Amino acid sequence: MSKQVSLNQEQVEILTGLKADQKFINPKYFYNHRGSKLFEKITQLDEYYPTRTERLILESCANDIAQYIDKQSLIIEPGAGSCKKIEYLLEAIHPSVYVPQDVSAEFLKQSAERLSKDYPWLTVSPVVSDFSEPINIPSEFERHTKYVFYPGSTIGNFEPEDAVTFLRQMRQLVGETGGIVLGVDLHKDNETLHAAYNDKKGITAEFNLNTLAHINDILGASFKLDEFEHLALYNSQQQRIEMYLKSLKAARYEVLGETLSFEKGELIHTEHSYKYTIDGIAELASKSGFKLAHSWLDGDELFSVNYLQAD
């Protein structure tokens, strides 16, 4: 008789994914301490265009973006992390209140304190929660027109129907008079996309494989990183990057009372990253209760920053 093991919610979630017909790990498990450091390295790679391209758009178009946003407004940023990107817009928009939201309390506190020091005219009111949960705005700020800032093409990590659900939640949050500034990666040639997720230095491969190290810690497991390899490809029909961990051998692992079997060549899905056309962004907005008011693109049309107005 196997020993009963009491599992927490995280462990149940991971094991459920690893026992599915198409094995998967939620992409949030990319981000332990090492994973976050590796992602910072990815953003600096020559092949990885999204971070630097979005930054250039935000910096060069800040005054144009500000034309769509009321002065003395309230800006909400789900998954704000370091709160660095909002700084490209703060002087141009000059909101009264900034509400960064993130799951990491200590990191968010440090980011909020830094912003309060650098922008003494700005009220910074951090909210610690998972952005899949409703973001509760303090009642004293209800009078402000509300806008969401959601950069970084994170919307592409949602399945399309989940992206609509998320944006509908944001539409409810901003009400009838607000909107959302949304970063979206654009559909483009396969070669550029393949290079962005298969860099020559192998940093993205390290980042993907580190997911196994993270779940080893959570599950008390002993997956060996050298028994898997990184695989990323662009599915042009679905307009998405698909990222996997590929098993290099047939193996069985005993994990928390469960037996996990892998065939040689079997894939663990770790991420989808959808790429959109401008028409696709307009359709996404329409399904979510917004309308696409304006898009700002770089000269090579690699990336877009969009303003969606409540409709």
Side-chain angles (χ1 to χ4, degrees), residues 201-216:
K201 292 183 178 179
I203 306 298
T204 308
E206 282 188 66
F207 174 70
N208 196 14
L209 286 161
N210 181 67
T211 311
L212 290 175
H214 190 190
I215 67 169
N216 275 344

Side-chain angles (χ1 to χ4, degrees), residues 9 20 32 37 51 56 82 94 105 155 181 221 277 279 284 288:
Q9 186 175 347
N32 60 355
K37 293 289 186 184
T51 303
L56 289 170
S82 65
H94 215 283
I155 196 69
V181 177
T277 62
D279 285 346
L284 190 63
S288 310

Side-chain angles (χ1 to χ4, degrees), residues 12 22 28 42 67-68 74 81 92 109 116 127 145 161 189 231 245 253 256 262 268 271 276 303:
V12 170
Q22 167 59 73
K28 68 185 177 184
I42 288 171
Q67 298 302 309
Y68 289 87
L74 182 147
K109 179 184 176 185
S116 293
V127 172
T145 308
E161 60 272 19
D189 66 279
L231 177 65
L245 292 166
Y253 302 92
L256 298 177
F262 288 79
I268 307 173
E271 182 181 46
Y276 286 85
F303 198 90

Side-chain angles (χ1 to χ4, degrees), residues 66-89:
Q67 298 302 309
Y68 289 87
I69 298 177
D70 290 353
K71 297 291 184 185
Q72 307 304 312
S73 58
L74 182 147
I75 307 293
I76 306 142
E77 184 175 356
S82 65
C83 305
K84 287 287 189 182
K85 290 183 179 179
I86 192 64
E87 294 191 68
Y88 301 126
L89 299 179

Side-chain angles (χ1 to χ4, degrees), residues 10 44 47 50 55 81 84 108 123 131 164 167 174 181 186 203 205 216 227 233 249 290 294 307:
E10 250 187 348
Q44 297 164 29
E47 298 98 326
R55 182 185 70 243
K84 287 287 189 182
L108 191 60
T123 298
F131 73 68
V164 170
L167 288 174
V174 302
V181 177
L186 296 176
I203 306 298
N216 275 344
E227 293 179 353
L233 53 91
K249 57 182 285 191
F290 289 103
H294 197 88
Y307 180 66

Side-chain angles (χ1 to χ4, degrees), residues 24-31 39 48 50 79 85 131 150-164 166-167 182-185 197 207 238-243 269-276 284 303:
F24 69 91
I25 302 171
N26 190 303
K28 68 185 177 184
Y29 294 110
F30 284 140
Y31 298 102
F39 186 72
Y48 193 78
K85 290 183 179 179
F131 73 68
Y150 199 54
S153 72
T154 309
I155 196 69
N157 295 134
F158 290 91
E159 294 300 314
E161 60 272 19
D162 295 330
V164 170
F166 173 76
L167 288 174
L182 183 67
V184 184
D185 199 5
Y197 291 84
F207 174 70
Q238 296 290 333
Q239 291 184 197
R240 69 189 184 198
I241 285 284
E242 298 177 0
M243 204 145 82
H269 173 245
T270 54
E271 182 181 46
H272 281 159
S273 183
Y274 284 85
K275 313 303 176 184
Y276 286 85
L284 190 63
F303 198 90

Side-chain angles (χ1 to χ4, degrees), residues 49-50 57 153 183-189 192-193 234 239 274-279 281 295-298 300-306:
Y49 61 86
I57 295 170
S153 72
V184 184
D185 199 5
L186 296 176
H187 178 56
K188 59 186 67 67
D189 66 279
T192 300
L193 286 163
Y234 187 55
Q239 291 184 197
Y274 284 85
K275 313 303 176 184
Y276 286 85
T277 62
I278 297 301
D279 285 346
I281 297 168
S295 298
W296 296 269
L297 280 60
D298 61 287
D300 295 323
E301 299 188 358
L302 297 173
F303 198 90
S304 66
V305 173
N306 308 271

